[in-house]
PDB file of all heavy atoms in Angstrom:
ATOM      1  N   ILE A 893     -14.291 124.388 193.856  1.00 85.00           N
ATOM      2  CA  ILE A 893     -15.356 123.412 194.120  1.00 85.00           C
ATOM      3  C   ILE A 893     -15.465 122.407 192.977  1.00 85.00           C
ATOM      4  O   ILE A 893     -15.596 121.202 193.200  1.00 85.00           O
ATOM      5  CB  ILE A 893     -16.693 124.150 194.339  1.00 85.00           C
ATOM      6  CG1 ILE A 893     -16.623 124.994 195.622  1.00 85.00           C
ATOM      7  CG2 ILE A 893     -17.847 123.161 194.411  1.00 85.00           C
ATOM      8  CD1 ILE A 893     -17.832 125.864 195.853  1.00 85.00           C
ATOM      9  N   GLU A 910      -0.916 122.496 197.972  1.00 86.00           N
ATOM     10  CA  GLU A 910      -0.791 123.129 199.283  1.00 86.00           C
ATOM     11  C   GLU A 910       0.383 124.098 199.309  1.00 86.00           C
ATOM     12  O   GLU A 910       0.285 125.192 199.883  1.00 86.00           O
ATOM     13  CB  GLU A 910      -0.614 122.066 200.373  1.00 86.00           C
ATOM     14  CG  GLU A 910      -1.861 121.247 200.652  1.00 86.00           C
ATOM     15  CD  GLU A 910      -2.956 122.054 201.340  1.00 86.00           C
ATOM     16  OE1 GLU A 910      -2.648 123.139 201.875  1.00 86.00           O
ATOM     17  OE2 GLU A 910      -4.118 121.613 201.337  1.00 86.00           O
ATOM     18  N   ASP A 929      -1.604 151.606 204.593  1.00 58.00           N
ATOM     19  CA  ASP A 929      -1.400 153.056 204.650  1.00 58.00           C
ATOM     20  C   ASP A 929      -2.212 153.644 205.798  1.00 58.00           C
ATOM     21  O   ASP A 929      -3.363 154.051 205.622  1.00 58.00           O
ATOM     22  CB  ASP A 929      -1.803 153.693 203.319  1.00 58.00           C
ATOM     23  CG  ASP A 929      -1.434 155.162 203.238  1.00 58.00           C
ATOM     24  OD1 ASP A 929      -0.822 155.659 204.194  1.00 58.00           O
ATOM     25  OD2 ASP A 929      -1.766 155.806 202.234  1.00 58.00           O
ATOM     26  N   LEU A 945     -14.144 150.352 213.137  1.00 86.00           N
ATOM     27  CA  LEU A 945     -14.252 149.603 214.383  1.00 86.00           C
ATOM     28  C   LEU A 945     -15.707 149.298 214.721  1.00 86.00           C
ATOM     29  O   LEU A 945     -16.028 148.208 215.207  1.00 86.00           O
ATOM     30  CB  LEU A 945     -13.594 150.383 215.521  1.00 86.00           C
ATOM     31  CG  LEU A 945     -12.070 150.557 215.425  1.00 86.00           C
ATOM     32  CD1 LEU A 945     -11.559 151.407 216.578  1.00 86.00           C
ATOM     33  CD2 LEU A 945     -11.383 149.198 215.418  1.00 86.00           C
ATOM     34  N   ALA A1029       0.446 119.889 220.884  1.00 43.00           N
ATOM     35  CA  ALA A1029       0.725 118.822 221.839  1.00 43.00           C
ATOM     36  C   ALA A1029       1.991 119.168 222.608  1.00 43.00           C
ATOM     37  O   ALA A1029       3.044 119.411 222.026  1.00 43.00           O
ATOM     38  CB  ALA A1029       0.902 117.496 221.104  1.00 43.00           C
ATOM     39  N   GLY A1041       8.743 135.584 221.815  1.00 75.00           N
ATOM     40  CA  GLY A1041      10.075 136.148 221.628  1.00 75.00           C
ATOM     41  C   GLY A1041      10.504 136.139 220.182  1.00 75.00           C
ATOM     42  O   GLY A1041      11.092 137.107 219.683  1.00 75.00           O
ATOM     43  N   ILE A1054      13.748 148.492 208.054  1.00 85.00           N
ATOM     44  CA  ILE A1054      13.079 149.716 207.587  1.00 85.00           C
ATOM     45  C   ILE A1054      13.960 150.934 207.842  1.00 85.00           C
ATOM     46  O   ILE A1054      14.077 151.830 206.994  1.00 85.00           O
ATOM     47  CB  ILE A1054      11.714 149.882 208.283  1.00 85.00           C
ATOM     48  CG1 ILE A1054      10.756 148.758 207.837  1.00 85.00           C
ATOM     49  CG2 ILE A1054      11.104 151.246 207.979  1.00 85.00           C
ATOM     50  CD1 ILE A1054       9.455 148.733 208.613  1.00 85.00           C
ATOM     51  N   PHE A1090       9.153 129.182 213.385  1.00 78.00           N
ATOM     52  CA  PHE A1090       9.240 129.633 214.768  1.00 78.00           C
ATOM     53  C   PHE A1090       7.892 129.657 215.479  1.00 78.00           C
ATOM     54  O   PHE A1090       7.834 129.933 216.669  1.00 78.00           O
ATOM     55  CB  PHE A1090       9.886 131.015 214.838  1.00 78.00           C
ATOM     56  CG  PHE A1090      11.361 130.996 214.569  1.00 78.00           C
ATOM     57  CD1 PHE A1090      11.871 131.459 213.375  1.00 78.00           C
ATOM     58  CD2 PHE A1090      12.246 130.490 215.514  1.00 78.00           C
ATOM     59  CE1 PHE A1090      13.224 131.430 213.113  1.00 78.00           C
ATOM     60  CE2 PHE A1090      13.610 130.469 215.267  1.00 78.00           C
ATOM     61  CZ  PHE A1090      14.106 130.927 214.052  1.00 78.00           C
ATOM     62  N   ARG A1111       6.874 150.947 196.717  1.00 82.00           N
ATOM     63  CA  ARG A1111       5.848 150.016 197.176  1.00 82.00           C
ATOM     64  C   ARG A1111       4.710 149.872 196.165  1.00 82.00           C
ATOM     65  O   ARG A1111       4.195 148.767 195.970  1.00 82.00           O
ATOM     66  CB  ARG A1111       5.288 150.450 198.534  1.00 82.00           C
ATOM     67  CG  ARG A1111       4.492 151.730 198.519  1.00 82.00           C
ATOM     68  CD  ARG A1111       3.909 152.025 199.880  1.00 82.00           C
ATOM     69  NE  ARG A1111       2.663 152.759 199.730  1.00 82.00           N
ATOM     70  CZ  ARG A1111       1.788 152.910 200.702  1.00 82.00           C
ATOM     71  NH1 ARG A1111       1.999 152.372 201.865  1.00 82.00           N
ATOM     72  NH2 ARG A1111       0.688 153.589 200.494  1.00 82.00           N
ATOM     73  N   ASP A1144     -26.715 120.675 204.561  1.00 71.00           N
ATOM     74  CA  ASP A1144     -27.250 120.791 205.916  1.00 71.00           C
ATOM     75  C   ASP A1144     -27.214 122.226 206.426  1.00 71.00           C
ATOM     76  O   ASP A1144     -27.922 122.566 207.381  1.00 71.00           O
ATOM     77  CB  ASP A1144     -26.457 119.886 206.872  1.00 71.00           C
ATOM     78  CG  ASP A1144     -26.529 118.418 206.471  1.00 71.00           C
ATOM     79  OD1 ASP A1144     -27.528 118.048 205.816  1.00 71.00           O
ATOM     80  OD2 ASP A1144     -25.595 117.666 206.804  1.00 71.00           O
ATOM     81  N   LEU A1202      -6.007 124.381 213.032  1.00 80.00           N
ATOM     82  CA  LEU A1202      -5.744 124.330 214.472  1.00 80.00           C
ATOM     83  C   LEU A1202      -6.666 123.358 215.198  1.00 80.00           C
ATOM     84  O   LEU A1202      -6.476 123.102 216.389  1.00 80.00           O
ATOM     85  CB  LEU A1202      -5.896 125.730 215.083  1.00 80.00           C
ATOM     86  CG  LEU A1202      -4.866 126.781 214.665  1.00 80.00           C
ATOM     87  CD1 LEU A1202      -5.223 128.144 215.234  1.00 80.00           C
ATOM     88  CD2 LEU A1202      -3.468 126.368 215.124  1.00 80.00           C
ATOM     89  N   MET A1227     -24.702 145.081 193.555  1.00 91.00           N
ATOM     90  CA  MET A1227     -25.178 146.175 194.415  1.00 91.00           C
ATOM     91  C   MET A1227     -24.264 147.396 194.302  1.00 91.00           C
ATOM     92  O   MET A1227     -24.733 148.534 194.225  1.00 91.00           O
ATOM     93  CB  MET A1227     -25.260 145.692 195.864  1.00 91.00           C
ATOM     94  CG  MET A1227     -26.342 144.659 196.118  1.00 91.00           C
ATOM     95  SD  MET A1227     -26.210 143.881 197.759  1.00 91.00           S
ATOM     96  CE  MET A1227     -26.466 145.291 198.839  1.00 91.00           C
ATOM     97  N   SER A1231     -25.136 151.004 192.390  1.00 86.00           N
ATOM     98  CA  SER A1231     -25.422 151.656 193.671  1.00 86.00           C
ATOM     99  C   SER A1231     -26.304 152.894 193.538  1.00 86.00           C
ATOM    100  O   SER A1231     -27.180 153.129 194.374  1.00 86.00           O
ATOM    101  CB  SER A1231     -24.104 152.035 194.367  1.00 86.00           C
ATOM    102  OG  SER A1231     -23.334 152.901 193.547  1.00 86.00           O
ATOM    103  N   SER A1362     -31.243 180.253 182.402  1.00 84.00           N
ATOM    104  CA  SER A1362     -31.312 180.713 181.019  1.00 84.00           C
ATOM    105  C   SER A1362     -29.938 181.020 180.433  1.00 84.00           C
ATOM    106  O   SER A1362     -29.845 181.522 179.317  1.00 84.00           O
ATOM    107  CB  SER A1362     -32.192 181.972 180.923  1.00 84.00           C
ATOM    108  OG  SER A1362     -31.677 182.996 181.771  1.00 84.00           O
ATOM    109  N   VAL A1367     -21.346 171.071 178.050  1.00 90.00           N
ATOM    110  CA  VAL A1367     -21.075 169.747 178.601  1.00 90.00           C
ATOM    111  C   VAL A1367     -20.002 169.066 177.749  1.00 90.00           C
ATOM    112  O   VAL A1367     -19.721 169.488 176.629  1.00 90.00           O
ATOM    113  CB  VAL A1367     -22.341 168.864 178.644  1.00 90.00           C
ATOM    114  CG1 VAL A1367     -23.383 169.447 179.578  1.00 90.00           C
ATOM    115  CG2 VAL A1367     -22.921 168.688 177.253  1.00 90.00           C
TER     116      VAL A1367
END
Side-chain angles (χ1 to χ4, degrees):
I893 294 174
E910 289 290 344
D929 188 3
L945 293 177
I1054 293 172
F1090 287 106
R1111 68 176 210 165
D1144 300 334
L1202 293 174
M1227 292 169 63
S1231 59
S1362 58
V1367 296

